[in-house]
Structures are given as structure tokens and as C-alpha cells.
Amino acid sequence: MEQYKLLTPGPLTTTDTVKEKMLLDRCTWDQDYKETTQKIRTQLLQLAKVSEDDYTAVLMQGSGTFTVESVMTTAMNKKDKALIITNGTYGERIVKIADYIGLHYKHYQVAYNAYPDEWELKSILENDRTITHLVMVHCETTTGIWNPLEMISRLGKAYGKTIIVDAMSSFGGIEMDVGELGIDFLISSANKCIQGVPGFGFVIAKQDKLLACEGNAGSLSLDLYDQWKVMHKDGKWRYTSPTHAVAAFSKAVDELIVEGGIQERFQRYQRNNQLLRKKMEQLGFQAYIPEERQSPIITTFLFPNDIFVFEDFYYYVKERGFVLYPGKLTELNTFRIGNIGEVYETDIERLCNVIQEYMGVVVK
Ligand SMILES: *Cc1c(COP(=O)(O)O)cnc(C)c1O
């Protein structure tokens, strides 16, 4: 099989040096392995700009959704009520999770290309004093919209609410001062902007908030408190841990730091994204999200004309070295191009040349 570049929002293209770390089989109770886990946990707190006195990092087996579910079932009890703010399918997935767990919540929903309205949210919080938690997706990977974290932070602080942020596709690629923002539970996973491989997710949690969650979880394997309690002792995971993915992740975090940290990675993603938007526009593709709300992670494009067939386009581009992503909107024909991972401007240039070639073929 030819190796192609994944222009998808995770799993994504990782470096060879990250992949090489998976060639060794590791023992879960071995001291070296437990130390790797502890090292990762410390590094994650540094990346989030928080201190070990206030915050703690917990790793959780499974894909990102498992970690979201783990936070929802652990951070809330049956008396709590969440205000879940959504403008995409990942937000809607949190609503679904809340339904499964049987949590109380209010769903505040806006259009996929719109921002939640601060005044409407204020009015909801003024009128319903039973709300205890605010929940929002930071970068909605459904469309690539970059949601206003500062606004949620302001509301959370003003009204004294616990803030849960799904920063799955943004943490590591967009700088966040988690402590300053007052985020209580920030969720992300190994195979997004940190550029590791799939296998686990992680939570940056306000320590006192997490410690108050004992006994909340309605799931044994997803009990974040219990996971923390075991892991915090000496780096031992509860149950089998994804050893290869953890080793790869440890290397990926080191490489992120060598790159210059999140600030530099953000700049690279931003350059990729701006070049992509510009070139695609020249080729006749309109982006769904306006530039001022566009994240540097993934971009949604509308089909350029009525005869455009995504499957045909997809295979043409794949044969020439790039894998794209289908759209996720029901009312519009779209597709998506991610620009995170081991991806550079030269890749975007090459991709756009391939797309130009394809568009030429179709027009003739
Ligand atoms: C990737 C992603 C998730 C988790 O998806 P999984 O397929 O479970 O890894 C959740 N939220 C957002 C915003 C994401 O981008």
C-alpha cells in the first residue's frame, strides 16, 4: 500500500520517529513504563499552562468519545444540570451521552456556522439557577468553526459554573491558558494535535473539582475519579493500557516541544490553513465557515458545481497521495480538508496542484 498523507482531523499523519516507538513491546507494571505515563501527565499540565498544585492530568483508554463520556459520567451527579452549547455533531454527541447517562441538561443549539450568543446564554443562566455545568466543544470538527472559549470562560466565572470543554481537535494546536480560562475539565485525545496515534484520551482537570467526584460515575471502566486515583499513585493504569500508543504519544509530546511548543505548532497549522483557503478559493471552492470564525484545524468546502462527485474526486486525490474527509452537513453538499499532523505548506501546495489538475479534467 502506498503511504499517503492524511488530511483528516485524526487519526492523522505522524512522524516516522513517533511510529518507530511502537516497535517495542512494553510491560504495563514495569517502572520505565509507569514513568513514561507520569512524564506525559506532567508535560500535559505544562502544555495547558497550569500548575500541579491546582490541576491534574488523567489518561483514559479508548477513542476521544470514551473520554468525553468518562468526564460526563464522573463530573456530574444526578442532581446537577448541564447547559450543553452546540453548533455541530460533536456537541450533539455530548447531548446523546447525557441522554444515555440520564443527566439533567438544557440543550442550547445554534446553526453550524454561527456562534452561540452570549446574551441568550446569560438569560438562560439568569432564569435557571439549577444549572451547574457549562459544556461546549472548542473547535467543532464537524465544520472547522473555532468557538469562543473566552466567552464560556467569562460566563462560567461570572455565574460560578463548572466548565467542561471538548478541546479534542484543538489542544496542542491552539494555545490555551487553561487555568486563566478557569476550565475545570478539558478533554482531548492522543491522535489529534499532539500528533500521536489512536488509543487513549486525556483530561486536564481542576484537582479539587475532580476530587469531589468520587462515587458519581455510573460506569466502572469510565470512572475518571477511580482512574485518577490509581494512576496518580505511581503511573499505573487501571486495566490494560495502550502501551504502544502511550510510547508513541510520549515521543509526540517531545517533538511538539522541540517544534517550539503549541505557539509554533499553531503558526504552522495557521499557515497551512490560510494557504489552503486561499488556493481553494482560487480553484473555485467556497469555504463554509467565514474566515474570522475558521479554526486552523480543518476546513469545510462546498461542492464547486452540480456535476462534482466527491467519491470520484476522493479517489483521484488519494491516488496522488492525499486522503480527504467527507462532509458532515445534512442540508449542504460539502467535504472537508484537515491540515493538522505532519503536514506542511509544501503538502498543501502539492495537494492544490492535484486538485487543479482534477478540476481541469472535469471542465474539459
Ligand atoms: C475527534 C473528536 C472527538 C472524538 O472522536 P473519537 O472518534 O471518539 O476519537 C470528539 N470531539 C471532537 C470535537 C473531535 O474532533
Side-chain angles (χ1 to χ4, degrees), residues 92-112:
E92 287 159 18
R93 189 178 293 176
I94 300 177
V95 170
K96 201 168 173 182
I97 288 171
D99 281 331
Y100 266 80
I101 302 171
L103 298 171
H104 293 299
Y105 67 87
K106 178 172 176 62
H107 184 188
Y108 172 85
Q109 194 170 20
V110 295
Y112 281 15

PDB file of all heavy atoms in Angstrom, residues 92-112:
ATOM      1  N   GLU A  92     -23.524  17.631  19.645  1.00  0.00           N
ATOM      2  CA  GLU A  92     -24.737  16.803  19.716  1.00  0.00           C
ATOM      3  C   GLU A  92     -24.436  15.423  20.301  1.00  0.00           C
ATOM      4  O   GLU A  92     -25.284  14.809  20.950  1.00  0.00           O
ATOM      5  CB  GLU A  92     -25.368  16.683  18.319  1.00  0.00           C
ATOM      6  CG  GLU A  92     -26.046  17.982  17.888  1.00  0.00           C
ATOM      7  CD  GLU A  92     -26.235  18.104  16.384  1.00  0.00           C
ATOM      8  OE1 GLU A  92     -26.159  17.081  15.680  1.00  0.00           O
ATOM      9  OE2 GLU A  92     -26.439  19.244  15.913  1.00  0.00           O
ATOM     10  N   ARG A  93     -23.212  14.943  20.064  1.00  0.00           N
ATOM     11  CA  ARG A  93     -22.827  13.660  20.644  1.00  0.00           C
ATOM     12  C   ARG A  93     -22.788  13.747  22.178  1.00  0.00           C
ATOM     13  O   ARG A  93     -23.129  12.796  22.878  1.00  0.00           O
ATOM     14  CB  ARG A  93     -21.457  13.214  20.104  1.00  0.00           C
ATOM     15  CG  ARG A  93     -21.095  11.790  20.484  1.00  0.00           C
ATOM     16  CD  ARG A  93     -19.760  11.369  19.906  1.00  0.00           C
ATOM     17  NE  ARG A  93     -19.773  11.275  18.448  1.00  0.00           N
ATOM     18  CZ  ARG A  93     -18.690  11.005  17.709  1.00  0.00           C
ATOM     19  NH1 ARG A  93     -17.517  10.805  18.281  1.00  0.00           N
ATOM     20  NH2 ARG A  93     -18.779  10.923  16.400  1.00  0.00           N
ATOM     21  N   ILE A  94     -22.393  14.902  22.693  1.00  0.00           N
ATOM     22  CA  ILE A  94     -22.375  15.081  24.160  1.00  0.00           C
ATOM     23  C   ILE A  94     -23.806  15.038  24.704  1.00  0.00           C
ATOM     24  O   ILE A  94     -24.065  14.468  25.770  1.00  0.00           O
ATOM     25  CB  ILE A  94     -21.665  16.400  24.544  1.00  0.00           C
ATOM     26  CG1 ILE A  94     -20.205  16.383  24.035  1.00  0.00           C
ATOM     27  CG2 ILE A  94     -21.700  16.617  26.068  1.00  0.00           C
ATOM     28  CD1 ILE A  94     -19.419  17.656  24.297  1.00  0.00           C
ATOM     29  N   VAL A  95     -24.739  15.606  23.949  1.00  0.00           N
ATOM     30  CA  VAL A  95     -26.151  15.546  24.342  1.00  0.00           C
ATOM     31  C   VAL A  95     -26.612  14.085  24.393  1.00  0.00           C
ATOM     32  O   VAL A  95     -27.290  13.656  25.328  1.00  0.00           O
ATOM     33  CB  VAL A  95     -27.020  16.364  23.354  1.00  0.00           C
ATOM     34  CG1 VAL A  95     -28.501  16.130  23.599  1.00  0.00           C
ATOM     35  CG2 VAL A  95     -26.686  17.854  23.458  1.00  0.00           C
ATOM     36  N   LYS A  96     -26.196  13.327  23.390  1.00  0.00           N
ATOM     37  CA  LYS A  96     -26.557  11.910  23.322  1.00  0.00           C
ATOM     38  C   LYS A  96     -25.978  11.161  24.536  1.00  0.00           C
ATOM     39  O   LYS A  96     -26.653  10.327  25.149  1.00  0.00           O
ATOM     40  CB  LYS A  96     -25.995  11.334  22.028  1.00  0.00           C
ATOM     41  CG  LYS A  96     -26.660  10.080  21.548  1.00  0.00           C
ATOM     42  CD  LYS A  96     -26.203   9.789  20.125  1.00  0.00           C
ATOM     43  CE  LYS A  96     -26.723   8.443  19.651  1.00  0.00           C
ATOM     44  NZ  LYS A  96     -26.248   8.141  18.288  1.00  0.00           N
ATOM     45  N   ILE A  97     -24.737  11.483  24.856  1.00  0.00           N
ATOM     46  CA  ILE A  97     -24.088  10.867  26.022  1.00  0.00           C
ATOM     47  C   ILE A  97     -24.890  11.186  27.293  1.00  0.00           C
ATOM     48  O   ILE A  97     -25.166  10.301  28.111  1.00  0.00           O
ATOM     49  CB  ILE A  97     -22.622  11.364  26.160  1.00  0.00           C
ATOM     50  CG1 ILE A  97     -21.746  10.746  25.066  1.00  0.00           C
ATOM     51  CG2 ILE A  97     -22.057  11.064  27.553  1.00  0.00           C
ATOM     52  CD1 ILE A  97     -20.335  11.334  24.973  1.00  0.00           C
ATOM     53  N   ALA A  98     -25.292  12.458  27.423  1.00  0.00           N
ATOM     54  CA  ALA A  98     -26.070  12.886  28.593  1.00  0.00           C
ATOM     55  C   ALA A  98     -27.378  12.096  28.677  1.00  0.00           C
ATOM     56  O   ALA A  98     -27.823  11.718  29.767  1.00  0.00           O
ATOM     57  CB  ALA A  98     -26.333  14.381  28.534  1.00  0.00           C
ATOM     58  N   ASP A  99     -27.994  11.839  27.505  1.00  0.00           N
ATOM     59  CA  ASP A  99     -29.226  11.041  27.477  1.00  0.00           C
ATOM     60  C   ASP A  99     -28.969   9.617  27.962  1.00  0.00           C
ATOM     61  O   ASP A  99     -29.748   9.071  28.745  1.00  0.00           O
ATOM     62  CB  ASP A  99     -29.793  10.975  26.053  1.00  0.00           C
ATOM     63  CG  ASP A  99     -30.549  12.249  25.696  1.00  0.00           C
ATOM     64  OD1 ASP A  99     -31.094  12.897  26.611  1.00  0.00           O
ATOM     65  OD2 ASP A  99     -30.590  12.604  24.498  1.00  0.00           O
ATOM     66  N   TYR A 100     -27.901   9.031  27.487  1.00  0.00           N
ATOM     67  CA  TYR A 100     -27.567   7.652  27.890  1.00  0.00           C
ATOM     68  C   TYR A 100     -27.345   7.556  29.399  1.00  0.00           C
ATOM     69  O   TYR A 100     -27.779   6.604  30.046  1.00  0.00           O
ATOM     70  CB  TYR A 100     -26.301   7.172  27.164  1.00  0.00           C
ATOM     71  CG  TYR A 100     -26.590   6.406  25.893  1.00  0.00           C
ATOM     72  CD1 TYR A 100     -26.899   7.071  24.710  1.00  0.00           C
ATOM     73  CD2 TYR A 100     -26.560   5.016  25.881  1.00  0.00           C
ATOM     74  CE1 TYR A 100     -27.164   6.375  23.543  1.00  0.00           C
ATOM     75  CE2 TYR A 100     -26.819   4.301  24.705  1.00  0.00           C
ATOM     76  CZ  TYR A 100     -27.122   4.987  23.539  1.00  0.00           C
ATOM     77  OH  TYR A 100     -27.384   4.299  22.402  1.00  0.00           O
ATOM     78  N   ILE A 101     -26.628   8.572  29.934  1.00  0.00           N
ATOM     79  CA  ILE A 101     -26.317   8.530  31.369  1.00  0.00           C
ATOM     80  C   ILE A 101     -27.552   8.880  32.201  1.00  0.00           C
ATOM     81  O   ILE A 101     -27.687   8.469  33.347  1.00  0.00           O
ATOM     82  CB  ILE A 101     -25.158   9.507  31.705  1.00  0.00           C
ATOM     83  CG1 ILE A 101     -23.912   9.170  30.885  1.00  0.00           C
ATOM     84  CG2 ILE A 101     -24.810   9.492  33.197  1.00  0.00           C
ATOM     85  CD1 ILE A 101     -22.803  10.199  30.990  1.00  0.00           C
ATOM     86  N   GLY A 102     -28.447   9.661  31.590  1.00  0.00           N
ATOM     87  CA  GLY A 102     -29.627  10.121  32.317  1.00  0.00           C
ATOM     88  C   GLY A 102     -29.348  11.383  33.115  1.00  0.00           C
ATOM     89  O   GLY A 102     -29.862  11.564  34.220  1.00  0.00           O
ATOM     90  N   LEU A 103     -28.515  12.272  32.549  1.00  0.00           N
ATOM     91  CA  LEU A 103     -28.193  13.530  33.222  1.00  0.00           C
ATOM     92  C   LEU A 103     -29.260  14.582  32.934  1.00  0.00           C
ATOM     93  O   LEU A 103     -29.916  14.542  31.891  1.00  0.00           O
ATOM     94  CB  LEU A 103     -26.844  14.057  32.713  1.00  0.00           C
ATOM     95  CG  LEU A 103     -25.605  13.187  32.967  1.00  0.00           C
ATOM     96  CD1 LEU A 103     -24.415  13.750  32.200  1.00  0.00           C
ATOM     97  CD2 LEU A 103     -25.291  13.123  34.457  1.00  0.00           C
ATOM     98  N   HIS A 104     -29.404  15.513  33.843  1.00  0.00           N
ATOM     99  CA  HIS A 104     -30.260  16.668  33.570  1.00  0.00           C
ATOM    100  C   HIS A 104     -29.470  17.643  32.708  1.00  0.00           C
ATOM    101  O   HIS A 104     -28.307  17.924  33.006  1.00  0.00           O
ATOM    102  CB  HIS A 104     -30.627  17.399  34.866  1.00  0.00           C
ATOM    103  CG  HIS A 104     -31.493  16.602  35.768  1.00  0.00           C
ATOM    104  ND1 HIS A 104     -32.750  16.164  35.398  1.00  0.00           N
ATOM    105  CD2 HIS A 104     -31.287  16.137  37.025  1.00  0.00           C
ATOM    106  CE1 HIS A 104     -33.275  15.477  36.385  1.00  0.00           C
ATOM    107  NE2 HIS A 104     -32.410  15.436  37.389  1.00  0.00           N
ATOM    108  N   TYR A 105     -30.119  18.179  31.687  1.00  0.00           N
ATOM    109  CA  TYR A 105     -29.411  19.180  30.890  1.00  0.00           C
ATOM    110  C   TYR A 105     -30.393  20.062  30.129  1.00  0.00           C
ATOM    111  O   TYR A 105     -31.556  19.703  29.939  1.00  0.00           O
ATOM    112  CB  TYR A 105     -28.457  18.509  29.892  1.00  0.00           C
ATOM    113  CG  TYR A 105     -29.145  17.726  28.802  1.00  0.00           C
ATOM    114  CD1 TYR A 105     -29.560  18.338  27.618  1.00  0.00           C
ATOM    115  CD2 TYR A 105     -29.388  16.355  28.959  1.00  0.00           C
ATOM    116  CE1 TYR A 105     -30.199  17.613  26.622  1.00  0.00           C
ATOM    117  CE2 TYR A 105     -30.035  15.621  27.975  1.00  0.00           C
ATOM    118  CZ  TYR A 105     -30.428  16.256  26.806  1.00  0.00           C
ATOM    119  OH  TYR A 105     -31.074  15.543  25.837  1.00  0.00           O
ATOM    120  N   LYS A 106     -29.890  21.227  29.720  1.00  0.00           N
ATOM    121  CA  LYS A 106     -30.601  22.062  28.760  1.00  0.00           C
ATOM    122  C   LYS A 106     -29.721  22.146  27.527  1.00  0.00           C
ATOM    123  O   LYS A 106     -28.515  22.361  27.628  1.00  0.00           O
ATOM    124  CB  LYS A 106     -30.837  23.463  29.343  1.00  0.00           C
ATOM    125  CG  LYS A 106     -31.546  24.365  28.340  1.00  0.00           C
ATOM    126  CD  LYS A 106     -31.978  25.684  28.929  1.00  0.00           C
ATOM    127  CE  LYS A 106     -32.581  26.586  27.854  1.00  0.00           C
ATOM    128  NZ  LYS A 106     -33.794  26.012  27.225  1.00  0.00           N
ATOM    129  N   HIS A 107     -30.331  21.956  26.369  1.00  0.00           N
ATOM    130  CA  HIS A 107     -29.568  21.983  25.121  1.00  0.00           C
ATOM    131  C   HIS A 107     -29.763  23.333  24.436  1.00  0.00           C
ATOM    132  O   HIS A 107     -30.870  23.683  24.050  1.00  0.00           O
ATOM    133  CB  HIS A 107     -30.055  20.832  24.221  1.00  0.00           C
ATOM    134  CG  HIS A 107     -29.279  20.697  22.950  1.00  0.00           C
ATOM    135  ND1 HIS A 107     -29.643  19.849  21.938  1.00  0.00           N
ATOM    136  CD2 HIS A 107     -28.141  21.309  22.516  1.00  0.00           C
ATOM    137  CE1 HIS A 107     -28.774  19.926  20.942  1.00  0.00           C
ATOM    138  NE2 HIS A 107     -27.862  20.818  21.259  1.00  0.00           N
ATOM    139  N   TYR A 108     -28.688  24.100  24.314  1.00  0.00           N
ATOM    140  CA  TYR A 108     -28.727  25.378  23.593  1.00  0.00           C
ATOM    141  C   TYR A 108     -28.023  25.165  22.260  1.00  0.00           C
ATOM    142  O   TYR A 108     -26.826  24.854  22.212  1.00  0.00           O
ATOM    143  CB  TYR A 108     -28.029  26.474  24.405  1.00  0.00           C
ATOM    144  CG  TYR A 108     -27.856  27.771  23.637  1.00  0.00           C
ATOM    145  CD1 TYR A 108     -28.882  28.718  23.593  1.00  0.00           C
ATOM    146  CD2 TYR A 108     -26.677  28.037  22.961  1.00  0.00           C
ATOM    147  CE1 TYR A 108     -28.722  29.900  22.885  1.00  0.00           C
ATOM    148  CE2 TYR A 108     -26.508  29.220  22.255  1.00  0.00           C
ATOM    149  CZ  TYR A 108     -27.535  30.136  22.211  1.00  0.00           C
ATOM    150  OH  TYR A 108     -27.366  31.303  21.505  1.00  0.00           O
ATOM    151  N   GLN A 109     -28.788  25.314  21.180  1.00  0.00           N
ATOM    152  CA  GLN A 109     -28.287  24.930  19.865  1.00  0.00           C
ATOM    153  C   GLN A 109     -28.332  26.110  18.906  1.00  0.00           C
ATOM    154  O   GLN A 109     -29.351  26.805  18.835  1.00  0.00           O
ATOM    155  CB  GLN A 109     -29.208  23.819  19.340  1.00  0.00           C
ATOM    156  CG  GLN A 109     -28.695  23.068  18.167  1.00  0.00           C
ATOM    157  CD  GLN A 109     -29.558  21.828  17.870  1.00  0.00           C
ATOM    158  OE1 GLN A 109     -30.722  21.746  18.313  1.00  0.00           O
ATOM    159  NE2 GLN A 109     -29.028  20.891  17.144  1.00  0.00           N
ATOM    160  N   VAL A 110     -27.239  26.340  18.194  1.00  0.00           N
ATOM    161  CA  VAL A 110     -27.263  27.360  17.133  1.00  0.00           C
ATOM    162  C   VAL A 110     -26.823  26.716  15.818  1.00  0.00           C
ATOM    163  O   VAL A 110     -26.370  25.567  15.802  1.00  0.00           O
ATOM    164  CB  VAL A 110     -26.362  28.583  17.462  1.00  0.00           C
ATOM    165  CG1 VAL A 110     -26.878  29.333  18.681  1.00  0.00           C
ATOM    166  CG2 VAL A 110     -24.906  28.181  17.667  1.00  0.00           C
ATOM    167  N   ALA A 111     -26.968  27.473  14.703  1.00  0.00           N
ATOM    168  CA  ALA A 111     -26.606  26.956  13.381  1.00  0.00           C
ATOM    169  C   ALA A 111     -25.123  26.571  13.357  1.00  0.00           C
ATOM    170  O   ALA A 111     -24.317  27.114  14.105  1.00  0.00           O
ATOM    171  CB  ALA A 111     -26.889  28.001  12.311  1.00  0.00           C
ATOM    172  N   TYR A 112     -24.798  25.621  12.464  1.00  0.00           N
ATOM    173  CA  TYR A 112     -23.431  25.086  12.414  1.00  0.00           C
ATOM    174  C   TYR A 112     -22.374  26.133  12.029  1.00  0.00           C
ATOM    175  O   TYR A 112     -21.199  25.917  12.274  1.00  0.00           O
ATOM    176  CB  TYR A 112     -23.367  23.922  11.428  1.00  0.00           C
ATOM    177  CG  TYR A 112     -23.903  22.606  11.964  1.00  0.00           C
ATOM    178  CD1 TYR A 112     -24.683  22.550  13.116  1.00  0.00           C
ATOM    179  CD2 TYR A 112     -23.609  21.408  11.307  1.00  0.00           C
ATOM    180  CE1 TYR A 112     -25.160  21.350  13.593  1.00  0.00           C
ATOM    181  CE2 TYR A 112     -24.075  20.187  11.783  1.00  0.00           C
ATOM    182  CZ  TYR A 112     -24.855  20.160  12.922  1.00  0.00           C
ATOM    183  OH  TYR A 112     -25.312  18.963  13.394  1.00  0.00           O
TER     184      TYR A 112
END
